[in-house]
Amino acid sequence: MKAIQDQEEQLRSEVSHDEAFKKLLEVFFKEFIELFFPQLMSLLDFGHARFLMQELLVDIVGEQSRSLDLLLETKSADSSAFVLVHLEPQSYRDPQFHERMFIYYSRLFERHRTQHKLIIPIAIFTADEGSEEPDKLVSIAGDHEILRFHFFKIELRRLSWRRFVDSANPVAAALLAKMGYNKKEKREMRLHYLRMLLKLRNQLDEARLQLVMSVGDLYFKPDKAEDRQLLDLLAEEFGEEEAELLELMPAWKRWGYEEGLEEGLQQGMEKGVEKGLMLGKADMVQKLLNKGFQEDDIADMLDIPLSEVDEMAKISRPSENK
């Protein structure tokens, strides 16, 4: 039963990841290309970019059908010719992935070659482990090369997160935790991630900032003690009120801290009531003293210790304590 539940949980996690990742690429396509494939920036006209509807391709080798969700049509920057960009996120190891990329390309080429000048295939590998992913498919007969298919790729885990912490690119912030880091660097990396969010609020509207955080949320696990320290560091660095900082924290972080704030508010209310009662009694003690009552008589009347009456008398006469 537990095994089934674990599989269901993993499936839900993969679906959430895929959907969030696809949305990130849709909204920040230009920023994604600028960050990882700057050599393509001068080739594409981003003002004409639009995502096409899902396209069903049939893998005749594996006898499987597959929908390509991230198929973008744009134009060449130096002409009016159309360009097709195929983005393929891959979150797990597949020894035949490079073959699948070729099959997808060949199907797209077969269907779109008369309308599109160029088809650009891009693979985004997000797996946490594994050796370097192949990005070529080569077929050779003797000394004759029949085919050399070479697609663009990015392997997030093989990138150092430190290269991107000064970037103002929202894609860098969203994917920082999928990049290469060790256990000792985890806390530092998370602090830089939150710094990036604080800076991005000045360039993104609320909806796009929430999208960046929703993707980042997928790769972080809450640690309340550590998060508390990080929040204190950020408050000191940015000079922000805690409530304002919390608005920019990831969803799980806001949940955790809101719970803590609620508990703190409750404790504060209890302390406030206690302090209010103390001041109220002190006021009554002062009135009785003004009427000439002795402190021991007041203690008997209010049924409180004599030492407490003395303390309340001091509270009600602050000028005498200076």
Side-chain angles (χ1 to χ4, degrees):
M1 183 65 177
K2 186 179 185 304
I4 295 177
Q5 292 176 341
D6 291 343
Q7 290 178 355
E8 291 177 348
E9 180 63 29
Q10 182 178 357
L11 180 59
R12 284 194 294 269
S13 177
E14 290 177 357
V15 170
S16 298
H17 169 272
D18 290 347
E19 291 304 317
F21 198 91
K22 289 172 184 176
K23 191 65 177 178
L24 180 75
L25 293 178
E26 287 180 12
V27 175
F28 296 110
F29 171 69
K30 181 179 179 180
E31 290 82 356
F32 171 79
I33 295 296
E34 183 179 27
L35 185 67
F36 295 125
F37 304 102
Q39 68 271 35
L40 296 178
M41 290 295 293
S42 61
L43 300 179
L44 304 177
D45 181 357
F46 294 93
H48 291 85
R50 70 182 184 96
F51 277 87
L52 305 181
M53 296 181 64
Q54 290 186 353
E55 182 150 353
L56 186 66
L57 302 179
V58 178
D59 179 350
I60 60 173
V61 177
E63 297 182 352
Q64 295 177 345
S65 60
R66 173 71 181 267
S67 294
L68 299 186
D69 295 326
L70 291 172
L71 199 58
L72 180 137
E73 183 184 75
T74 184
K75 288 185 177 181
S76 175
D78 59 359
S79 71
S80 59
F82 285 102
V83 176
L84 205 59
V85 181
H86 168 214
L87 297 159
E88 186 70 17
Q90 181 70 7
S91 58
Y92 59 92
R93 289 282 298 172
D94 180 358
Q96 281 77 48
F97 179 80
H98 61 302
E99 295 179 1
R100 283 202 290 116
M101 284 295 288
F102 171 69
I103 292 171
Y104 297 156
Y105 178 85
S106 62
R107 295 291 174 267
L108 291 172
F109 181 79
E110 178 184 27
R111 188 172 299 181
H112 296 279
R113 67 183 184 276
T114 59
Q115 297 177 337
H116 296 82
K117 171 186 176 181
L118 181 65
I119 299 175
I120 302 176
I122 301 176
I124 308 106
F125 296 101
T126 61
D128 293 332
E129 300 176 345
S131 57
E132 184 177 0
E133 297 281 357
D135 57 0
K136 302 182 184 70
L137 181 64
V138 180
S139 179
I140 299 175
D143 60 354
H144 181 78
E145 186 174 271
I146 299 173
L147 169 70
R148 177 174 292 271
F149 171 69
H150 189 187
F151 55 90
F152 290 91
K153 73 166 181 176
I154 182 72
E155 294 182 74
L156 294 176
R157 186 55 68 188
R158 299 178 68 86
L159 300 176
S160 172
W161 64 275
R162 294 184 184 278
R163 285 176 47 197
F164 300 91
V165 294
D166 294 324
S167 173
N169 192 307
V171 176
L175 301 180
L176 194 70
K178 291 299 289 181
M179 298 177 188
Y181 64 90
N182 56 43
K183 291 183 178 180
K184 292 182 179 179
E185 296 175 318
K186 183 178 179 181
R187 182 179 183 277
E188 183 184 2
M189 182 270 294
R190 290 172 69 180
L191 179 61
H192 278 286
Y193 164 70
L194 295 174
R195 281 198 186 109
M196 294 172 78
L197 290 183
L198 287 168
K199 294 175 181 178
L200 283 172
R201 65 179 172 168
N202 297 320
Q203 72 181 66
L204 299 179
D205 55 47
E206 183 177 353
R208 291 192 296 167
L209 183 60
Q210 289 293 331
L211 173 59
V212 171
M213 291 194 295
S214 70
V215 176
D217 283 357
L218 297 173
Y219 313 128
F220 289 107
K221 293 182 180 179
D223 184 329
K224 291 184 179 180
E226 184 175 274
D227 296 341
R228 176 74 265 170
Q229 295 175 359
L230 295 181
L231 187 64
D232 291 340
L233 286 173
L234 290 171
E236 181 178 346
E237 179 180 345
F238 287 86
E240 304 283 357
E241 293 292 334
E242 181 173 306
E244 186 175 349
L245 286 174
L246 289 174
E247 289 298 319
L248 299 170
M249 297 300 110
W252 55 260
K253 188 178 295 299
R254 288 199 304 272
W255 174 85
Y257 283 130
E258 285 171 358
E259 180 183 25
L261 288 175
E262 184 177 348
E263 180 180 350
L265 180 60
Q266 181 64 30
Q267 292 176 353
M269 290 175 62
E270 292 174 356
K271 289 181 179 179
V273 171
E274 182 179 348
K275 185 176 180 181
L277 291 174
M278 179 68 75
L279 291 174
K281 286 183 180 180
D283 185 62
M284 185 176 295
V285 167
Q286 181 60 46
K287 288 181 180 179
L288 291 172
L289 287 172
N290 291 341
K291 290 181 179 293
F293 286 91
Q294 299 299 313
E295 290 188 5
D296 54 348
D297 294 329
I298 295 173
D300 290 336
M301 291 172 60
L302 298 180
D303 194 23
I304 55 177
L306 180 60
S307 60
E308 191 172 328
V309 173
D310 184 57
E311 288 298 320
M312 290 180 184
K314 291 178 182 178
I315 293 175
S316 62
R317 296 192 297 272
S319 60
E320 297 179 6
N321 300 321
K322 293 182 179 179

